[in-house]
Amino acid sequence: MPATRPDGRAFPADFLWGSATAAYQIEGAADEGGRGPSIWDTFSRTPGKTLDGDTGDVAADHYHRVPEDVALMQALGLGAYRLSVSWPRVQPTGQGAFNDEGLAFYSDLVDRLIAAGIKPVVTLYHWDLPQALEDAGGWTVRATAEHFGRYARRLAEVLGDRVHLWTTLNEPWCSAYLGYASGVHAPGVTDGAAALAAVHHLNLAHGLAVREIRDVLGADAPVSITLNLHVTRAATDDPADLDAKDRIDTIANEVFLQPILEGRYPERVAADTASVTDWSFVQSGDLEIIRTPLTQLGVNYYSTGRVRAGTPAVGDGGPGPDGHRSSAHSPWVGADRVEWLPQPGPHTAMGWNIEPKGLVDLLLELRDRYPALPLVVTENGAAFEDVPDADGRVHDVERIAYLHDHVDAVGEAIEAGADVRGYFVWSLMDNFEWAYGYSRRFGIVRVDYATGERTPKDSAAWYAELVRTNAVPPVDAVVPALTV
Ligand code: FCB
């Protein structure tokens, strides 16, 4: 896959270049340090739920390799690192007593990052709900949102103003619909009504957490949420196809954007989902809490989708980040008459189509709708079949081309007036790709899972060059490879 966009586009002087990971995907040490079980421990240890039965028990062993991993980031020249806190590591049952050893782990990590000149961007929830809370109803019940608020407060007290940017939730779309509707993610429930209740309780959890963080750290405390907004296009201009696109936009994007940024649920959602739920879980005053103003909006972007009116095939989970293993149950609650069409290539090893223009379109739409809200691309990247050479080096030209074109797309959006403050490559290192286990590699650093050894890929050297020059390097800019 060759690059399709020009080299050399320059970025604003204070633009933040980072990389992203998530606790369950890299830490391992699942039963160490006083950590309690999460829904992903339970799910991944259940036969048939993940490819090859992979679990995050060891993952990239980051828990035991923090100094080495921070040194790696320093060698890359990163300005920021987006990590997530494992809720059950710091509060084993999700309520009540906190685990000092878990809190100390993140406090130490944050100190080390700052000492290395790297700004910590901290996500409070990247999908690893304490199992005890799931046993009490998980995101389908309101109490989970309230527990999340108290957990956020404690983290704010412990990490305080050392955190450059707080992110309450990562991709609540996945937590709600993949967790409770299609069931391809933990906790593996397949119930549309449960998924919509989860949508609301995740929104409420977000709002409560923003308020708790600001209560502890002051009204200026920098807080965000990260959404995986879906860029979906209608196959034709036929009203039925346009309606299919609208329906998907509503259920995928608007049920998060509108409550969080405008204080209301989208108008058509009640009618679209009337056969599933009456939304009586929304209580008076909730939307006020949910729309507490944000400092920035995090955007994760990988690919695009295309729909038309029709009957979906059984197991049609849709494209892109949503396809995360197909299921007999659709994640698209209330969209029984929407058909997803295959997207033209090229595709990544996830089967996701590569379309950098989708990122430009998304950022510009957000600029138009919320002009005062700064944006940050909190994830973007690609899995490819990496083949190490005899020296263990990975010449991942396809990943470089993908990053090259998407970074240029961000630059194009900035030049067109989008206020984008940073970009975080997914991911710093190969890791546990949820239901796909270790079969999909997204890292710019290779991880040998047998030994834990880290080897920067060519894309890491390319990314370091991007950070160093603050302009898009040519795809072949980087020899020799980065060494740590
Ligand atoms: C996103 C997730 C992230 C990773 C990438 C590939 O949906 O936030 O953890 O799995 O997809």
Side-chain angles (χ1 to χ4, degrees):
M1 188 205 109
T4 59
R5 290 174 155 252
D7 302 330
R9 196 191 297 271
F11 282 75
D14 54 354
F15 194 80
L16 208 51
W17 296 106
S19 71
T21 63
Y24 189 73
Q25 295 181 274
I26 65 164
E27 283 181 6
D31 300 317
E32 286 177 56
R35 180 182 176 280
S38 81
I39 55 174
W40 269 96
D41 296 299
T42 308
F43 187 79
S44 68
R45 291 170 187 172
T46 304
K49 297 297 186 189
T50 65
L51 211 60
D52 299 328
D54 287 345
T55 74
D57 287 358
V58 178
D61 198 29
H62 170 70
Y63 187 76
H64 299 115
R65 292 170 183 265
V66 165
E68 181 187 349
D69 289 340
V70 174
L72 206 48
M73 294 180 227
Q74 207 171 6
L76 285 163
L78 296 187
Y81 172 54
R82 175 175 181 250
L83 63 111
S84 84
V85 174
S86 160
W87 187 352
R89 191 179 288 294
V90 304
Q91 193 181 29
T93 61
Q95 56 180 308
F98 284 87
N99 171 30
D100 287 339
E101 206 176 335
L103 291 168
F105 172 77
Y106 295 105
S107 186
D108 170 70
L109 172 55
V110 160
D111 278 346
R112 286 176 189 273
L113 290 167
I114 292 170
I118 300 165
K119 294 183 164 68
V121 172
V122 174
T123 300
L124 291 172
Y125 187 73
H126 201 126
W127 308 352
D128 44 357
L129 188 73
Q131 181 62 44
L133 292 187
E134 181 55 39
D135 295 342
W139 289 112
T140 71
V141 300
R142 193 176 178 86
T144 300
E146 289 159 358
H147 293 311
F148 185 73
R150 288 186 280 271
Y151 153 68
R153 183 176 190 90
R154 186 79 187 110
L155 264 293
E157 287 166 356
V158 172
L159 300 182
D161 61 9
R162 291 178 289 164
V163 172
H164 176 73
L165 178 66
W166 296 90
T167 300
T168 55
L169 307 174
N170 175 72
E171 300 189 355
W173 184 92
C174 293
S175 301
Y177 297 111
L178 301 183
Y180 293 92
S182 67
V184 298
H185 277 189
V189 175
T190 53
D191 172 359
L196 295 177
V199 165
H200 180 65
H201 295 133
L202 284 154
N203 282 335
L204 183 63
H206 158 76
L208 290 168
V210 178
R211 290 189 169 199
E212 294 290 352
I213 294 167
R214 295 251 171 84
D215 194 46
V216 174
L217 297 175
D220 293 342
V223 190
S224 65
I225 186 170
T226 281
L227 301 177
N228 55 324
L229 297 168
H230 292 67
V231 178
T232 309
R233 303 203 174 91
T236 73
D237 287 343
D238 185 292
D241 291 347
L242 292 172
D243 184 67
K245 168 193 153 40
D246 253 21
R247 194 176 272 261
I248 294 300
D249 283 347
T250 299
I251 208 75
N253 303 337
E254 301 302 327
V255 292
F256 300 107
L257 281 175
Q258 289 189 31
I260 291 167
L261 298 173
E262 302 170 35
R264 60 188 157 105
Y265 274 102
E267 216 174 296
R268 66 176 287 175
V269 76
D272 283 358
T273 59
S275 64
V276 180
T277 182
D278 61 6
W279 290 79
S280 56
F281 40 75
V282 181
Q283 296 186 9
S284 94
D286 285 0
L287 285 158
E288 270 311 303
I289 295 170
I290 294 169
R291 77 138 169 237
T292 307
L294 294 181
T295 316
Q296 294 187 10
L297 177 65
V299 174
N300 288 356
Y301 176 85
Y302 291 92
S303 65
T304 60
R306 207 155 47 98
V307 293
R308 71 177 174 206
T311 312
V314 173
D316 181 4
D322 341 333
H324 283 296
R325 301 197 76 194
S326 62
S327 153
H329 302 271
S330 169
W332 302 105
V333 182
D336 305 338
R337 308 281 310 151
V338 176
E339 185 186 357
W340 291 90
L341 300 172
Q343 288 283 58
H347 298 97
T348 69
M350 298 297 285
W352 301 346
N353 67 307
I354 300 173
E355 196 193 335
K357 185 174 179 302
L359 180 53
V360 181
D361 294 348
L362 174 59
L363 295 171
L364 294 186
E365 186 185 335
L366 291 168
R367 171 205 63 181
D368 291 344
R369 285 180 61 175
Y370 308 110
L373 183 65
L375 307 171
V376 52
V377 177
T378 39
E379 283 181 29
N380 174 246
F384 288 106
E385 308 281 347
D386 296 333
V387 183
D389 69 12
D391 300 331
R393 297 269 158 208
V394 178
H395 305 295
D396 52 343
V397 289
E398 292 170 301
R399 186 171 292 104
I400 293 174
Y402 180 100
L403 296 177
H404 175 281
D405 285 356
H406 286 78
V407 164
D408 182 68
V410 175
E412 180 185 334
I414 293 173
E415 283 177 25
D419 183 6
V420 188
R421 303 290 176 91
Y423 173 95
F424 291 72
V425 60
W426 184 271
S427 178
L428 174 64
M429 61 182 118
D430 293 337
N431 58 51
F432 176 81
E433 179 45 38
W434 308 113
Y436 291 93
Y438 298 100
S439 69
R440 300 294 192 278
R441 293 176 177 270
F442 275 90
I444 58 172
V445 174
R446 181 173 176 85
V447 174
D448 177 336
Y449 292 114
T451 63
E453 194 189 343
R454 279 93 163 110
T455 309
K457 304 176 191 177
D458 285 0
S459 58
W462 182 88
Y463 199 71
E465 185 68 2
L466 167 70
V467 178
R468 191 182 72 75
T469 59
N470 203 30
V472 183
V475 290
D476 57 359
V478 252
V479 243
L482 186 80
T483 48
V484 182

